[in-house]
């Protein structure tokens, strides 16, 4: 079993219960926030037919939380049974590589819960903002939020548009004097 500290339990509860629509979690490196967030998001998408986006300043960073989610799929039969595998893939390959960018979980009523990753990196801000505006989700986790520029952050925030009941959860270390500070 994963033993949560009080702070990790609070992070889990904020996401799993969608307790607060806007949350900044400022913690130090190696606190366990990515693993805690992964378990909370997995709990949501296997319990409710919701869409979640994990946004980070780079593809590599976005895949950290997704890798933890993939690892936890195999923790119990409930999540494994709901997990939809694409044609040509195998459970062993997914477990070993942990590199998927989109995961789908089929609920008994046929609806789906899903999570996907988005990178805010881009060579040209205009192209990046155009790409971000084509993507939307009512629930967004921004990992390493302080490493994302303010203009990119505005594009990410725009992803919540059209979803009245939404959640934005930002995590990271205070490294820059930007929106995260």
């Amino acid at each position: 079993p994963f033993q949560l500290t009080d702070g990790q339990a609070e992070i889990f509860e904020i996401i799993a219960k969608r307790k607060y629509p806007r949350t900044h979690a400022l913690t130090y490196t190696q606190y366990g926030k990515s693993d805690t967030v992964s378990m909370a998001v997995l709990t949501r998408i296997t319990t409710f037919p919701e869409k979640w986006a994990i946004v980070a300043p780079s593809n590599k960073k976005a895949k950290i939380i997704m890798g933890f989610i993939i690892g936890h799929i195999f923790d119990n039969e409930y999540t494994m049974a709901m997990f939809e595998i694409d044609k040509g893939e195998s459970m062993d390959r997914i477990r070993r590589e942990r590199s998927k960018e989109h995961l789908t979980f089929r609920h008994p009523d046929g609806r789906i819960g899903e999570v996907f990753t988005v990178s805010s990196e881009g060579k040209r801000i205009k192209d990046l903002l155009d790409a971000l505006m084509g993507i939307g989700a009512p629930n967004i986790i921004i990992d390493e939020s302080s490493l994302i520029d303010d203009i990119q952050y505005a594009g990410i925030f725009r992803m919540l548009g059209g979803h009245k009941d939404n959640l934005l959860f930002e995590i990271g270390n205070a490294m820059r004097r930007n929106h995260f500070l």
Side-chain angles (χ1 to χ4, degrees), residues 7-30:
Q8 290 168 330
E10 188 174 3
I11 289 171
F12 184 93
E13 181 180 28
I14 289 168
I15 295 169
K17 291 184 177 181
R18 295 186 79 236
K19 198 170 179 179
Y20 305 111
R22 302 288 178 270
T23 303
H24 286 68
L26 175 64
T27 65
Y28 52 84
T29 302
Q30 301 296 314

Side-chain angles (χ1 to χ4, degrees), residues 52-55 59 62-63 66 100-102 115-119:
W52 287 76
I54 299 168
V55 184
N59 284 321
K63 289 181 180 180
M66 187 62 95
K100 290 183 68 71
E101 294 176 359
H102 186 267
V115 60
F116 61 93
T117 60
V118 178
S119 167

